[in-house]
Amino acid sequence: PSLDEMCFVAAEMEREGFNVPLLIGGATTSRVHTAVKIAPNYDRNQAIYVLDASRAVGVVSKLLSETDREGYKADIRTEYDKVRQQHLANEAKKSRITLAAARANRFDIDWKAYTPPKPSFMGPRSFDAYDLASLVPFIDWTPFFQTWELAGRYPMILDDNKVGTEAKKLFADAQDLLKKIVAGKWLTARAVVGFWPANSIGDDIEIYTGEPRHTKLATLHTLRQQIARDPSRDRAHTALADFIAPKETGLADYVGSFAVTTGIGDEAALDKHFAKTDDYGRIMFKALADRLAEAFAEHMHWRVRTELWGYAKGEKLTNDELITEKYQGIRPAPGYPAQPDHTEKRTLWKLMDVENRAGIELTESCAMWPASSVSGLYFAHPEAHYFGVGKVERDQVEDYAARKGWTIAETERWLAPVLNYDPRSISDAKVA
């Protein structure tokens, strides 16, 4: 689950009157996240960050102890209060500007000197039973080792003085299992890719049914950086909409979207090939399914650049260069730094009919199922780049709510991880 999903779960436990501890862990959160964002949503009991599964036994033992339980929770609360105050103090040092000022300093592209390349087709296209073997060369192995909490970059980690021996053994096991997965077709890879006529209007991206661009098909909403910049360094306040030609330019620009999965059949494969007690094998299998999904996203983006959209037909990059994003264009994902709002996936799902075409469902919290799935957008402009929106202020929340047709409370719930204020303090002030 994502950080905002964890915040939501904690808030729902509070609303429903739960009174049991909430243990938080995994790669998408941290002790600071838990203290600052998650724990404040659950006053009835305590949200506790657990570094990894091996530490859970000790934590649970203390929480079950009649003599130690209350003291342990009190210590955690005190510790998290300190973490929260320190975090808030650090954030206070980072000054931010109004949304109007940020828009006035938007990322500026010289559209007069640009002719948008036209994709080879419009609308969605499905790719079923994709060859798993073709994805293997695109695997980024560094996150695989991070899954097992081995720090280091592949392939250097294999010769690391501290973890090299274990990394080599783990890698050998992964290669053996990966061969079985590919040869036996234990997983089915499916994808859908689409391209659409598009232009930006402010911080939104309008998608059209076709040419001429009179009928709007959908709107993609984006968020803008508000952290103060050093004017002497000429740094802009960026939003994804900046990478699409504004409607007033008259340029016929385009945006792409995608959803890929290598998780079809994963539960059946687990049941067939791994014993219920084989934790190592089952975790290894899931980790490889995730790596294949990311590799599928990388592979399809390569095809988009060189063939399907074709704006970089002459591209010749190594896998290392792909991993370090040396290619032209970007593929940002909803729920991640450039667009922290997971609900933008709902628009992509409607545009591409993802559930029917690729077999990927969205949960109520906009998580993808099967879990080994990746989705996002394609931007082709040479100046498009990855960035993080960072924290947003109340004025942008109000503006975003109006554009999305949401209430302020709904917007604050979905953007909880990136709010630069505590919504409860504003509510309390209004009551007072």
Side-chain angles (χ1 to χ4, degrees), residues 75 132 140 161 185 206 242 256 261 301 331 354 377 393 409 413 418 429:
D75 290 343
L132 290 175
D140 178 3
N161 292 332
K185 298 181 179 179
E206 285 192 348
D242 296 344
T261 184
H301 195 191
R331 60 169 192 276
V354 173
L377 297 166
E393 301 296 329
R413 178 170 73 82
V418 296

Side-chain angles (χ1 to χ4, degrees), residues 263-286:
I264 306 296
D266 57 353
E267 293 299 326
L270 281 170
D271 291 341
K272 181 177 181 180
H273 300 290
F274 301 91
K276 296 288 185 182
T277 55
D278 183 7
D279 291 338
Y280 178 73
R282 296 171 80 88
I283 293 173
M284 177 71 75
F285 175 77
K286 291 180 180 178

Side-chain angles (χ1 to χ4, degrees), residues 2 28-29 32 78 83 150 174 212 215 287 311 343 357 390 396 410 412:
S2 63
T28 57
T29 189
V32 174
T78 300
V83 171
L150 295 180
T215 305
Y311 59 80
T343 69
R357 287 176 173 272
Q396 183 159 197
E410 187 178 12
E412 288 174 337

Side-chain angles (χ1 to χ4, degrees), residues 135-201:
L135 309 182
V136 173
F138 289 83
I139 291 178
D140 178 3
W141 285 103
T142 298
F144 168 79
F145 292 103
Q146 293 171 349
T147 299
W148 299 92
E149 297 184 7
L150 295 180
R153 182 176 174 80
Y154 174 82
M156 289 76 77
I157 190 174
L158 300 178
D159 297 315
D160 186 86
N161 292 332
K162 293 183 179 179
V163 301
T165 301
E166 184 61 30
K168 286 179 181 177
K169 180 180 181 301
L170 197 65
F171 189 61
D173 290 346
Q175 295 302 306
D176 289 341
L177 181 55
L178 184 60
K179 290 177 182 177
K180 294 177 182 177
I181 293 171
V182 172
K185 298 181 179 179
W186 292 5
L187 295 168
T188 298
R190 298 178 67 183
V192 56
V193 170
F195 301 108
W196 323 91
N199 285 108
S200 64
I201 296 183

Side-chain angles (χ1 to χ4, degrees), residues 296-372:
F296 200 2
E298 192 74 76
H299 173 84
M300 290 307 298
H301 195 191
W302 167 72
R303 286 196 62 185
V304 163
R305 297 190 303 272
T306 60
E307 170 195 353
L308 302 179
W309 199 334
Y311 59 80
K313 292 181 180 180
E315 176 185 292
K316 293 182 179 180
L317 299 176
T318 65
N319 192 43
D320 283 344
E321 288 173 326
L322 293 177
I323 291 170
T324 54
E325 301 162 357
K326 300 297 185 183
Y327 47 75
Q328 176 182 328
I330 57 173
R331 60 169 192 276
Y336 286 83
Q339 170 45 289
D341 178 12
H342 281 275
T343 69
E344 286 295 298
K345 291 177 196 159
R346 293 172 180 166
T347 302
L348 303 187
W349 257 241
K350 291 179 182 178
L351 279 172
M352 297 186 290
D353 192 19
V354 173
E355 187 169 342
N356 290 320
R357 287 176 173 272
I360 311 171
E361 300 177 27
L362 282 185
T363 67
E364 289 185 0
S365 60
C366 292
M368 292 176 286
W369 188 261
S372 298

